[in-house]
Amino acid sequence: MKKAAVIMGSDSDLPVVEKAISTLKDFEVPFEVHVYSAHRTPEQVKSFVEQADKNGFGVIIAAAGKAAHLAGAIAANTVLPVIGIPVSSKTF
C-alpha cells in the first residue's frame, strides 16, 4: 500500500492536521508527517516532493495557514495528487 505524506507549514498547524492523521489511522493508511515551509525551507519541500513517488507515497496532504500556497508549491513539483487543507489565521 502506498503511503500518505502529511506536510505542515509549521508545527502550529498540528491541531488541524490531527484530524487528517486520525482519519488515516482509522483507514489503516501508512503515513509520515513532516514540517516543511514553502518560505523557510523551500529546498527541503522541493527535494521531499520530487522523491515522494519513488519513496512510496501515493498522495500528499498539505496544510498551512497564512502562506496557503504550500499545497501549490508541492503540486508544482509532483504528479501525485495533492490535497490542500486551509488553516485559518487570526491575522487574516
Side-chain angles (χ1 to χ4, degrees), residues 21-49:
I21 291 169
S22 177
T23 300
L24 292 169
K25 287 179 181 178
D26 289 346
F27 286 97
E28 299 180 358
V29 175
F31 64 91
E32 292 182 14
V33 178
H34 299 274
V35 177
Y36 296 133
S37 168
H39 285 121
R40 294 180 305 277
T41 60
E43 291 303 317
Q44 282 183 299
V45 172
K46 185 176 180 183
S47 177
F48 178 86
V49 171

Side-chain angles (χ1 to χ4, degrees), residues 26-91:
D26 289 346
F27 286 97
E28 299 180 358
V29 175
F31 64 91
E32 292 182 14
V33 178
H34 299 274
V35 177
Y36 296 133
S37 168
H39 285 121
R40 294 180 305 277
T41 60
E43 291 303 317
Q44 282 183 299
V45 172
K46 185 176 180 183
S47 177
F48 178 86
V49 171
E50 287 178 340
Q51 298 298 314
D53 186 37
K54 183 178 114 180
N55 289 329
F57 292 95
V59 64
I60 300 173
I61 301 168
K66 297 182 185 175
H69 68 280
L70 178 62
I74 289 171
N77 290 287
T78 186
V79 297
L80 294 177
V82 177
I83 300 169
I85 301 174
V87 178
S88 65
S89 170
K90 292 179 183 177
T91 59

